[in-house]
Structures are given as C-alpha cells and as structure tokens.
Amino acid sequence: MATAHPQNVHPDDTRFEKEELSNHRPNGNTTGIHNDSGDSLTRLRTAGSLNISPELFEKLYLSPENRVKGELRKTFGNPTPIALVGFLLSLTPLACDLMGWRGAGGTGAASTGAYFFFGGVLMIIGSIMEWIVGNTFPFVVFGTFGAFWLTFGSTLVPSFNAYGAYVTDPAVAAQQMGNPGNPAGLQTPGFNASFAFFLVFMGLMCFVFLICSLRTNIVFFVIFLTLVCAFGCLAGAYFNLALVYANPTNLAAATRASRCVVAGGAFTFVTSLAGWWIFLAIMLASLDFPVQIPVGDLSTMIKGASDKKAKVSEA
C-alpha cells in the first residue's frame, strides 16, 4: 500500500514544510493534517525550529508577523533571545547599582565590561540578525540599545575623555599630567547637563518605541513605559547635579538628584523584571516546552493598517 510522503523533504533534512500532509489509514480512509490557526504551535520542523501562529510569532520575535522573501527564518535561529540576554545582563546590575543595594553605586562603573560585551556586542549581533531575517522593529530596537550600551560604557572609560574634556582649569588639568579622563570633569555643570540631554532624547526614542509596541505585547509595552520613566528620572538627576556643581550650597538640588537616581533605578528594575519574563517566555516557546507563560499578545487585538484595508476591500 502506497503512502504519501511529505513534500520538499530531503533525505538529510528532517524538517516538514507548513502544508497539508496526507496519511492513509489501514481501512482505506484518508485524513488530512491541517494547520490550526488557534494552536500556538502547528508543526515541529526541528528542535527549536517551528511553524508558528501569528500569536507565537509575535512572542518569539517581538514583532507582528510579516511576510519576507526566502526562507531565512528556517535557515537561522531566532536572534531575539541573545539580544535580550545582552540587555538584561547590562540593565539588571545597573538598576541595583542605581538603587544602592548592598552598598553598590558609582553609576554602575563596575559593570563597564558588561556594557561593552553583553549590552553592546550581543545586542548589535541580535540587531543584525533581526535585519537579516526581516524583522524591522526588533532590528531597530536592539540596534538602538546596543549603541546606547556602547555609548554609556565609553563614557565611563577615561581614555575616551568624555568628562575630562570639561576640565578647563589649567591647575586641575595639570594633575593628570596630560592623561585623558580627569575625574574632576565629573563634577562640572557642563558634563552633567550635557549628559542629561543624551538621556532626555533616549527617553524620547523609547516613547516612539512605546507607541510602536502597542502592536506587540503587554510585556514589551511595560518595558518601554518604564524605560521612558527611567530616562526621565535619570535626566532629572543629572540636570540637578549640574545645579549642585554650579552652586554647592544648593542642597535642594542635591536631594532631588539623589531621589531621581533611586527612582530611575527602581523603574529600570521593573524593566528588567519584564525583560526576564519575556526572555523566559521566548525560551520556553522556542523549545515547545509543555508549560507556556503569557506575554499578553496585542498584535491580533490592535489590527494593522493592511488588515483594515483588506477588510474594506472584501466588503
């Protein structure tokens, strides 16, 4: 008795294409195995390579499902988790530092290496891979934050002279004997006010991401909502530090700066918790784990413009 074989399956390839497979039963009846749009997983291709519903696609790639040419998503692994690893292992320790837990502090300078190699390298790699597989939104988000971590880490490295350039007193500058990164620059109004503006516009960028995340999921929305608040608090802290260094007797500004730093740390800690949740959700889904955790899919609740046009044309 002949048995129909799956199409497009090579001898050395165990992946099944996302199409109907027919199997003949002993009694001669034929039943089709079809994709169910209500299922989160429709068919395994290989361990970690899945045919997925729109809801699961959004969970795995943090972007509504989009059509791209070719089969790059079948060829390469999902780059989203590795970018999240870089983000979380940079932000979570920094959040604890900003809140001063267990005596931590120093604006997270102890984790400078993590900002470069986790936050910078892993997020840039994840961004490039998202671009390759055609996921525009995560590509932009991960690329932006990869550059942010490289920028933040560079600011803390003395050889970049980010703060040393603000030392204008020749007597103070001479103490460095020509070496860059004079720590006295950290206590200048110019450096603190200038760095605050960088944080202001990072907050603005996160606000744009916040609006776009309404087409992804609730957890991703929470991440950007708390980041907007965090960047606002940290920008306020640096603006107040600029006032303090301009006038050391301004105790009110010093108090506000301290509170803003702690508040910024608290908001980023909530961001981290949301990030760990979505990272766990993606890893469980990618392995077809029997237990799944929700992320609050919004991609099917807030319809895209193309979906609305399609409905109008059908009507």
Side-chain angles (χ1 to χ4, degrees):
M1 179 176 59
T3 303
H5 294 280
Q7 299 179 14
N8 299 327
V9 178
H10 300 285
D12 296 328
D13 190 355
T14 61
R15 296 177 297 179
F16 291 92
E17 296 299 325
K18 188 177 182 180
E19 57 189 50
E20 179 180 346
L21 303 178
S22 61
N23 296 299
H24 294 275
R25 296 184 182 274
N27 60 8
N29 295 330
T30 303
T31 59
I33 301 176
H34 300 278
N35 294 306
D36 185 354
S37 60
D39 294 337
S40 61
L41 297 175
T42 56
R43 187 68 52 80
L44 284 174
R45 287 202 289 258
T46 60
S49 179
L50 308 170
N51 279 326
I52 56 180
S53 68
E55 293 83 2
L56 185 60
F57 183 95
E58 183 280 321
K59 179 189 283 188
L60 290 173
Y61 290 100
L62 303 181
S63 176
E65 186 175 13
N66 59 333
R67 295 182 180 180
V68 295
K69 208 171 180 182
E71 297 185 347
L72 291 176
R73 288 172 182 158
K74 300 177 183 178
T75 305
F76 298 105
N78 180 10
T80 305
I82 196 65
L84 286 174
V85 167
F87 179 73
L88 292 171
L89 291 182
S90 298
L91 184 66
T92 311
L94 177 61
C96 298
D97 291 344
L98 293 175
M99 290 186 290
W101 285 359
R102 304 288 295 181
T107 321
S111 301
T112 301
Y115 304 149
F116 280 103
F117 296 105
F118 277 101
V121 174
L122 289 188
M123 294 202 75
I124 293 296
I125 291 174
S127 172
I128 293 172
M129 292 304 298
E130 294 282 7
W131 170 66
I132 290 173
V133 299
N135 297 328
T136 301
F137 184 52
F139 152 61
V140 175
V141 170
F142 295 152
T144 299
F145 276 94
F148 167 78
W149 289 116
L150 291 174
T151 302
F152 185 62
S154 299
T155 304
L156 298 173
V157 175
S159 59
F160 280 86
N161 206 37
Y163 43 84
Y166 289 88
V167 178
T168 57
D169 187 341
V172 177
Q175 298 175 6
Q176 286 292 104
M177 296 180 293
N179 295 320
N182 194 322
L186 294 169
Q187 300 180 0
T188 59
F191 170 77
N192 285 276
S194 299
F195 193 70
F197 279 114
F198 171 62
L199 298 175
V200 166
F201 290 106
M202 275 300 301
L204 178 60
M205 181 64 70
C206 287
F207 182 72
V208 175
F209 293 155
L210 174 68
I211 296 173
C212 296
S213 68
L214 288 170
R215 284 275 290 138
T216 59
N217 59 66
I218 293 174
V219 180
F220 218 30
F221 178 83
V222 170
I223 286 175
F224 290 119
L225 177 63
T226 51
L227 281 175
V228 169
C229 298
F231 280 119
C233 289
L234 294 175
Y238 278 95
F239 278 131
N240 277 281
L241 285 174
L243 296 176
V244 172
Y245 294 131
N247 179 15
T249 62
N250 192 341
L251 300 180
T255 301
R256 287 194 300 268
S258 178
R259 290 176 178 175
C260 284
V261 168
V262 175
F267 278 118
T268 53
F269 189 74
V270 175
T271 304
S272 299
L273 293 178
W276 284 107
W277 179 272
I278 205 166
F279 173 69
L280 177 60
I282 291 173
M283 294 303 295
L284 293 178
S286 65
L287 293 171
D288 192 22
F289 206 74
V291 177
Q292 301 287 313
I293 59 176
V295 295
D297 177 43
L298 297 174
S299 62
T300 55
M301 295 179 61
I302 301 178
K303 299 296 184 182
S306 58
D307 296 331
K308 293 183 178 179
K309 288 181 180 178
K311 286 185 178 180
V312 171
S313 61
E314 290 175 359

